Amino acid sequence: MTEVLWNLIMLLISAGFISAFIRLVRGPHLPDRVIALDLISVIAMGFIITYAVRFNQPNFVDVAIIIALITFLGTVAFSYYLEKRV
């Protein structure tokens, strides 16, 4: 891949991050904000993986996996909280 294509990929991921952050701030309900937070973590994982592939840094893939595990546990905890609250 060329340098321009890598920069375009990073730019599109950044635009998605900004859009998800706007939804996080403006979300009218708590579940909307939690979904936006999950989306931000997925986008962050995509950014980290893209960076790892682009600059040949395989250690960053482990960081993305750890973020995925923490995000999953947070989503499960939030679901449990919503179920008990109602």
Side-chain angles (χ1 to χ4, degrees):
M1 290 186 170
T2 63
E3 186 74 26
V4 174
L5 188 56
W6 283 111
N7 290 338
L8 179 64
I9 291 170
M10 294 287 206
L11 180 69
L12 291 174
I13 290 173
S14 299
F17 183 83
I18 292 169
S19 299
F21 186 75
I22 290 171
R23 174 51 57 194
L24 177 68
V25 172
R26 295 186 59 199
H29 303 293
L30 186 60
D32 293 330
R33 291 186 171 141
V34 171
I35 291 171
L37 196 58
D38 284 341
L39 180 61
I40 287 172
S41 67
V42 169
I43 291 172
M45 286 183 287
F47 193 85
I48 291 169
I49 295 293
T50 304
Y51 183 86
V53 171
R54 167 68 179 97
F55 294 106
N56 195 20
Q57 297 288 328
N59 294 334
F60 286 138
V61 175
D62 296 337
V63 173
I65 291 171
I66 291 170
I67 290 173
L69 290 172
I70 292 171
T71 302
F72 174 72
L73 291 175
T75 303
V76 169
F78 177 72
S79 300
Y80 181 76
Y81 167 73
L82 278 184
E83 186 176 287
K84 293 297 180 183
R85 190 176 81 171
V86 174

